[in-house]
Amino acid sequence: MLELTLQDNKIPEESVELPSTIKKCRDIKELISEIYPGLQDNKSPSTKYLTERTILSPRNEEVSRINDEILSIYTGRAQTYIAADKMNENIEKRAVGNSGCPSEVLNNQNCSGLPPFRLNLKVGCPVMMLRNIDPKNGLCNGTRLRVETFAPHVIEATILTGDKQGTRVFIPRISLSPCFGVHVHMTRRQFPIRLAFAMTINKSQGQSVKYVGIDLRNSVFGHGQLYVALSRCTTVRQIKILLSEEETNHRTGNVVYPEVLLL
């Protein structure tokens, strides 16, 4: 029987060399232009254009920054929706001599599964559903859509993926509470969507696209993440990567838990 012991409780990590056929980009702007060519001149990108490409990154923080940068070069007028945050009532009543959590703390919460406090969108941009609000009509967690029109309390969009592809739907504001990753018990009333030019590697599981950019300036931190990212593309020739400035060759960290493979 093969046994494996971990010394000092450290996560096993090794450096792997990526195939030379994968193009290495110099910076994030080059990665964006490789995956979304001509986006600044494309006033109404087609369904095929949006569904065939994506940029992946290990962490939500980098994904948000990439989405904001792509949105800034995308044509059109930006529409901003501000969320309404509040502490959960049963938690707030327990606070003694305290008026509750400052609104600035609530507004700065930005975790997986929770829409941003300040949601910036443009007509034609891709977004992703964060919750199951109407599975029968295609509004499920992970569904990608294209924004069509704005209204104060509803967003009209077209479904880009799945059995309901091409269907026009209306997305309302709803009240959401974070499932994990936030130490504050709160509720945010906002549209349950995020920009989807880029997404996290974990969120991309189960999807296959033609053009994939992978931001590896911060190495993957979970078992199998690198494999998931690289396998999202239908051909290795269409994968583009961005490595950290310290990395001078085609190598990146790859976290693997060997004990998982030995069970």
Side-chain angles (χ1 to χ4, degrees), residues 26-85:
R26 297 185 301 272
D27 52 35
I28 188 61
K29 291 185 178 180
E30 182 182 358
L31 182 67
I32 292 172
S33 64
E34 286 283 348
I35 303 303
Y36 291 100
L39 187 65
Q40 64 273 18
D41 303 320
N42 196 344
K43 295 183 179 180
S44 182
S46 65
T47 297
K48 182 180 179 181
Y49 180 91
L50 293 176
T51 55
E52 281 187 344
R53 55 200 79 226
T54 190
I55 295 177
L56 305 178
S57 187
R59 304 192 304 181
N60 283 298
E61 186 178 353
E62 281 78 27
V63 167
S64 295
R65 283 200 288 261
I66 295 171
N67 276 321
D68 289 341
E69 184 159 351
I70 297 177
L71 188 69
S72 68
I73 66 174
Y74 185 64
T75 58
R77 182 180 63 86
Q79 173 73 29
T80 301
Y81 290 101
I82 305 298
D85 292 343

Side-chain angles (χ1 to χ4, degrees), residues 113-124:
L114 196 68
F117 172 74
R118 186 180 296 272
L119 180 63
N120 296 313
L121 302 171
K122 291 181 180 179
V123 171

Side-chain angles (χ1 to χ4, degrees), residues 118-219:
R118 186 180 296 272
L119 180 63
N120 296 313
L121 302 171
K122 291 181 180 179
V123 171
C125 69
V127 295
M128 177 177 287
M129 292 294 303
L130 301 178
R131 297 295 171 90
N132 297 324
I133 63 173
D134 190 2
K136 183 178 179 180
N137 292 311
L139 294 181
C140 305
N141 183 14
T143 299
R144 297 176 70 189
L145 310 96
R146 181 179 60 203
V147 174
E148 302 294 348
T149 57
F150 299 117
H153 304 291
V154 71
I155 294 174
E156 185 180 5
T158 300
I159 296 178
L160 296 175
T161 57
D163 297 337
K164 301 294 183 179
Q165 182 179 1
T167 304
R168 288 285 186 109
V169 293
F170 293 94
I171 305 172
R173 291 180 187 262
I174 63 174
S175 297
L176 307 104
S177 295
C179 299
F180 57 87
V182 175
H183 300 293
V184 179
H185 297 273
M186 60 174 288
T187 298
R188 171 168 292 172
R189 188 163 185 82
Q190 179 63 287
F191 294 100
I193 57 176
R194 277 182 178 269
L195 280 170
F197 290 108
M199 68 181 77
T200 61
I201 294 173
N202 290 341
K203 199 72 173 180
S204 71
Q205 294 186 69
Q207 302 188 40
S208 295
V209 294
K210 190 174 181 180
Y211 305 96
V212 173
I214 308 176
D215 177 14
L216 293 173
R217 289 174 294 179
N218 289 294
S219 299

